[in-house]
Amino acid sequence: MPSATSPSQPASPTPQDALGDGRVGVVDVGSNSIRLVVFDKLDRAPTPVFNERVLCGLGRGMDQTGRLNDEGVKLALTNLDRFARIARAMEVVRLDLIATAATRDADNGPQFVADVERRTGCKVTVLSGLSEARLAALGVVSSMPEATGLMGDLGGGSLELVRLDRGQLGDAVSLPLGPLRLAEVSGGSREAAVAEIDRQLDNVSWLSEAGGADFFPVGGAWRALARIHMEQTQYPLHVIHGYTLQRRTAQDMARVVSRLGPRSLSRIRGVSKRRLETLPYAALLMGRVLRRLRPEGVTFSAFGLREGHLFDLLEAEQQTRDPLIAAASDLAQAEGRFGDLGAEMFAWTEPLFTDETDDERRLRRAAGHLADIAWREHPDYRAVQALYRILRLPLLALNHAERAFLAYTAFIRYGGKPHENAAQTPRQLMDARQIERAEIVGNALRLGITVSAGTRGLLANARLEWHGETLNVRLPDDTSAAPGEVVEKRLKALVKAVGAKRGDVF
C-alpha cells in the first residue's frame, strides 16, 4: 500500500523531538465537512483540547459540475481562516491541513488549495485515495492495536476500505461512494443507488475474503447511525468509540434508516439537520457492505484520519506502546497527588489473581494507574465523579465492558457501594466475572492507598499475602507504616470481596 504523504508544518525527520510537548493540530478538509482538532501534544495517547466542525458541503453537486461547490468553498475559506487563527492563539507548534476526496477530484481543487494556503499561511496536503485509506486505518489501529477484519472510512465523497490483521494493514481501496456523490449519481433512486454500490463493490476482488472478523466503521455519517441505535435502544453509555453491534442488528438498523425520508429522520433525537439527506445513503452503504462481508460484529471507531495522521508521525517505539496504559499513566502523572502509582498498585494487587487473562491483567494494570485521580473532588462525591469521568473519557482504548470495568473499579476504590444508582450503568455493561473482579481490584486499591497514604515508594515494601484462607497485609519491616483502624476496616472489605475467611495486619 502506498505510504501517505506526511504533511509537515514545520518539517522534521524526528517530529517528537522537534515538537517537544507543544500542541499540535490537524485540519481535515473533507467532501462534506471540515474539522479542526487540536491535541495537547504529539504522543501515543494525545488528548484533544479543541474540536470544531463545520459542514460545508464542498463536494455537493460535483458529479454534475466537476467542481467544488461555490457556496461550500466560501464557507470553507472563511472557517479555515478561523481555524488557522485559533491555532495561532493556542500556540500550536504544528498545524497540518489535509484534504481528501472532493479536493483531489475537483477541477478547481488546485485553485481551492492555493486560496486556502494564501488565506491561512499553511501548506495543504491533498491525499490520494490510498493514502487516505492508510491513515484512516492507522487511526483505528492506534486505538485497537489488535484489530482484525475490515476498516471502512466513509466520507462525503468516497469510501476507503482496508483489511486489518491483528493491527497490520493489508489490501486497501478507495471507492467513489460517499453519500453526497451517491445521492447525485442515483438521482434519488434507491434502486439506482444499490446498483451503483454493488457495481463498485464488485470491483474489489478481495472483499469477500475479508469477512468473518469485525467491521470497523469510521466517519461522521456512520457514527450518526451508532448514535441513532443508542437512542432507540436507550443504551446506557453514549460513547461511540468501541460501541459494538451484532451483524444482524447492524444490518436491520441500516435497512430501516436507509428507507427513512428527511421528515422521519428529523424526528430522531441526535440527528444533525445537515445529515438528513445523506444519512439514508450512508445506511444503505453500510448494509450493502455488511451483506457481502458478513462479519462477526460491527465495532464503531471514533478514531480515524486525524488520529492516524498523528500516529504515523510517532517513532516506531512509541507506536508499539499500549494506548490504554499510555493514557492512564499520563493522566495519573498529571493528576495524582504524588504522581503515577501504577507500578506499585499493580504489584500490590498481584497476589489476588492467579488465573487472569492477558486482557484482565491489562485492565488491572490500568486501574492501578487510575487509583488516585479523583482526590481533588469533594469526599461525598469522589466515587461518583471518578466513575463518570472514567466511563466517559474519550481517549482510552477500550470496548464498553472494559470501560465499565475501570469506571466501576474506581467507584469501589473511592468507597462507592454496588447498590448505589450510579453503579448500575457500568454493572449493566459487564458480566458477573467482570463485576466480581472490579470489586476485588477496587477494594484492593482502596486498601493500598490507605496503607501508603497515596505516597510513592512506601507500598513497594508492603504486600498482600495468603496463608491458607487468610489474607494478610504485611507492612514494611522498616516501620515506615503502621496498622490502624482504617487499615483494618479496609482489609475487612477486601477479605469479603475475595471470599477469604479472615485477614490480619502484620
Side-chain angles (χ1 to χ4, degrees):
M1 186 188 307
S3 295
T5 302
S6 292
S8 55
Q9 282 283 331
S12 171
T14 55
Q16 286 179 275
D17 292 342
L19 298 176
D21 289 334
R23 297 187 184 95
V24 294
V26 183
V27 178
D28 176 6
V29 183
S31 301
N32 194 35
S33 66
I34 62 172
R35 185 188 292 269
L36 165 66
V37 182
V38 175
F39 298 89
D40 60 341
K41 58 185 173 181
L42 181 60
D43 193 24
R44 183 62 183 91
T47 300
V49 297
F50 182 83
N51 189 328
E52 183 170 298
R53 181 195 65 172
V54 180
L55 290 167
C56 297
L58 280 170
R60 193 176 297 278
M62 220 177 84
D63 266 7
Q64 281 73 42
T65 66
R67 296 173 57 82
L68 296 174
N69 182 275
D70 289 340
E71 290 302 315
V73 167
K74 291 178 183 177
L75 191 58
L77 288 174
T78 297
N79 285 280
L80 289 171
D81 181 41
R82 166 180 161 75
F83 288 173
R85 293 173 187 271
I86 287 173
R88 283 193 289 272
M90 292 182 178
E91 298 182 342
V92 167
V93 297
R94 173 172 179 149
L95 179 65
D96 293 342
L97 275 64
I98 301 172
T100 55
T103 304
R104 69 172 171 259
D105 294 340
D107 293 340
N108 60 337
Q111 182 59 55
F112 172 67
V113 168
D115 290 343
V116 171
E117 292 181 342
R118 176 179 53 81
R119 290 280 295 268
T120 65
C122 299
K123 184 182 183 301
V124 177
T125 296
V126 181
L127 297 178
S128 69
L130 288 182
S131 293
E132 182 179 352
R134 175 177 177 270
L135 291 184
L138 285 179
V140 172
V141 169
S142 74
S143 64
M144 304 177 193
E146 295 297 311
T148 297
L150 184 73
M151 186 283 311
D153 181 19
L154 182 63
S158 65
L159 170 64
E160 281 69 46
L161 301 172
V162 180
R163 292 178 70 174
L164 302 174
D165 182 8
R166 295 181 64 84
Q168 298 300 308
L169 278 56
D171 297 313
V173 68
S174 179
L175 302 172
L177 282 177
L180 286 178
R181 182 168 286 172
L182 193 58
E184 292 162 13
V185 169
S186 68
S189 165
R190 177 185 170 85
E191 292 73 19
V194 169
E196 176 63 12
I197 294 169
D198 289 346
R199 185 180 73 82
Q200 294 287 348
L201 294 179
D202 284 341
N203 293 327
V204 186
S205 60
W206 49 263
L207 187 57
S208 61
E209 303 169 8
D214 277 353
F215 179 55
F216 301 93
V218 176
W222 278 348
R223 287 196 297 271
L225 294 179
R227 203 168 285 115
I228 287 173
H229 189 267
M230 287 178 169
E231 289 287 349
Q232 296 303 303
T233 60
Q234 297 183 324
Y235 188 73
L237 179 62
H238 277 216
V239 174
I240 299 297
H241 189 71
Y243 185 56
T244 300
L245 299 175
Q246 295 296 317
R247 172 174 55 84
R248 290 190 179 277
T249 301
Q251 284 181 308
D252 290 344
M253 174 191 65
R255 183 175 61 253
V256 170
V257 175
S258 72
R259 295 180 180 276
L260 295 179
R263 180 175 297 179
S264 297
L265 284 172
S266 68
R267 298 192 188 105
I268 299 176
R269 183 178 165 188
V271 176
S272 167
K273 291 182 179 179
R274 294 214 173 193
R275 292 201 186 276
L276 295 180
E277 294 180 6
T278 58
L279 199 54
Y281 292 100
L284 189 60
L285 272 162
M286 177 175 284
R288 302 310 287 182
V289 170
L290 294 179
R291 184 171 179 269
R292 288 173 181 254
L293 193 63
R294 300 184 66 80
E296 292 180 3
V298 177
T299 300
F300 291 86
S301 173
F303 292 65
L305 178 70
R306 295 173 296 276
E307 293 78 14
H309 170 65
L310 291 190
F311 183 77
D312 201 32
L313 296 177
L314 293 175
E315 296 170 2
E317 183 180 355
Q318 275 282 77
Q319 290 180 342
T320 61
R321 292 184 66 198
D322 184 322
L324 169 61
I325 303 305
S329 178
D330 287 350
L331 186 61
Q333 192 60 46
E335 301 195 17
R337 282 174 294 181
F338 301 99
D340 183 6
L341 306 176
E344 292 178 25
M345 288 297 175
F346 181 66
W348 168 257
T349 56
E350 186 82 8
L352 302 176
F353 301 98
T354 58
D355 64 342
E356 62 187 351
T357 66
D358 289 344
D359 288 340
E360 289 171 339
R361 188 175 178 85
R362 172 181 182 253
L363 288 178
R364 181 166 62 82
R365 186 184 296 276
H369 289 296
L370 299 172
D372 199 34
I373 65 167
W375 63 273
R376 285 189 176 91
E377 305 295 341
H378 188 285
D380 292 348
Y381 298 100
R382 280 178 189 152
V384 173
Q385 292 292 84
L387 183 150
Y388 284 139
R389 187 171 184 199
I390 294 173
L391 202 60
R392 297 165 180 173
L393 274 172
L395 285 180
L396 298 183
L398 300 158
N399 63 39
H400 283 198
E402 292 169 335
R403 184 182 290 271
F405 175 91
L406 289 181
Y408 187 53
T409 297
F411 176 76
I412 297 296
R413 173 265 178 269
Y414 279 105
K417 305 302 181 186
H419 65 269
E420 294 181 45
N421 289 337
Q424 303 320 303
T425 292
R427 287 174 66 92
Q428 288 179 59
L429 298 171
M430 293 184 287
D431 60 29
R433 177 181 171 91
Q434 290 169 319
I435 292 172
E436 180 183 15
R437 283 180 55 85
E439 291 176 356
I440 294 172
V441 175
N443 277 295
L445 295 176
R446 186 166 174 79
L447 175 59
I449 291 289
T450 301
V451 169
S452 66
T455 60
R456 298 180 67 178
L458 195 153
L459 200 63
N461 297 315
R463 63 185 181 276
L464 292 167
E465 54 185 26
W466 286 97
H467 291 284
E469 295 184 78
T470 299
L471 179 64
N472 296 326
V473 173
R474 179 69 63 179
L475 296 176
D477 295 334
D478 61 6
T479 69
S480 56
E485 181 183 0
V486 179
V487 173
E488 298 278 359
K489 178 181 177 181
R490 291 179 181 172
L491 174 58
K492 184 177 180 180
L494 179 58
V495 164
K496 181 179 180 181
V498 299
K501 285 288 182 65
R502 56 174 292 177
D504 291 310
V505 179
F506 296 97

